[in-house]
Amino acid sequence: MIDIHCHILHGLDDGPKDLEESVELAKLIYADGIRHVIATPHFHQGLITDKRLILARIEQLHAELDRLRIGLTVHPGHEVRLDHPSFLEEQLRGGGFHFLGGGRGYLLLEQRWTDYEPETPGIVKGLLEQGIQPILPHPERHFFFRETPSLLEDLVEQGAWVQVTADSLLGAHGEEARQFSEWMADRTLVHLIATDAHNMKRRPQLTLGYEWLETRLGAAYTAEMMARTEAILLP
């Protein structure tokens, strides 16, 4: 399996505090059946995580995983928050952040937690015109999408992909997030799932997430989702 959204790198955001904890999280990820993980440190106006630092931390983690013979491959990425359209445009133009997997095809684009960015439809349209696939992480945890689902439906209709956190399907992020995740899944508004794992408390449960989806929506739906996830890492 592939996890496209994970805060596995230490000392960069609210993920593992040190390399030891990062390795312990990697062990859990591997035990869950995941063999490729995209490291997605937060990237926003208050925390611009340098691309080179991410690559250095990945190299450091790989060295330790190789020593322990843990066959997990970590790829670069960022979880980019849409603080303001001008900030996104500036960072996009200047190459400030990693796209998922280190290419240029897929962007994990997070909304603010305080309110919905009204220019998001235009931003999605502009990204798609540049050949960039915007992926909206964990909309089930944003109150404005739960209160006004048409906001999310309109973005999907435009071509945005939705990534639900596996934990939300399992109820770990509260009843409202669980119910909205189910609502999205039943309407085939979920294109991807990921762990969004941060540490030993926010653990990876991707296998259980896929099992939930297969039970509810069938094997074909789950296989299509897995194929979409694999395509992100294809050259």
Side-chain angles (χ1 to χ4, degrees), residues 4 11 47 50 56 60 72 78 103 112 118 153 162 165 177 181 192 227:
I4 68 158
L47 182 62
D50 188 86
Q60 186 180 13
L72 180 69
H78 266 117
R112 298 183 296 265
E153 291 175 300
V162 167
T165 303
S181 296
L192 304 157

Side-chain angles (χ1 to χ4, degrees), residues 121 124-125 128 133-134 136 149-162 187-189 191:
V124 167
K125 181 175 183 292
L128 290 169
Q133 177 63 59
L136 313 177
S150 60
L151 292 174
L152 187 64
E153 291 175 300
D154 290 346
L155 295 176
V156 171
E157 186 175 346
Q158 276 197 300
W161 287 359
V162 167
R187 287 157 181 78
T188 63
L189 294 174
H191 303 86

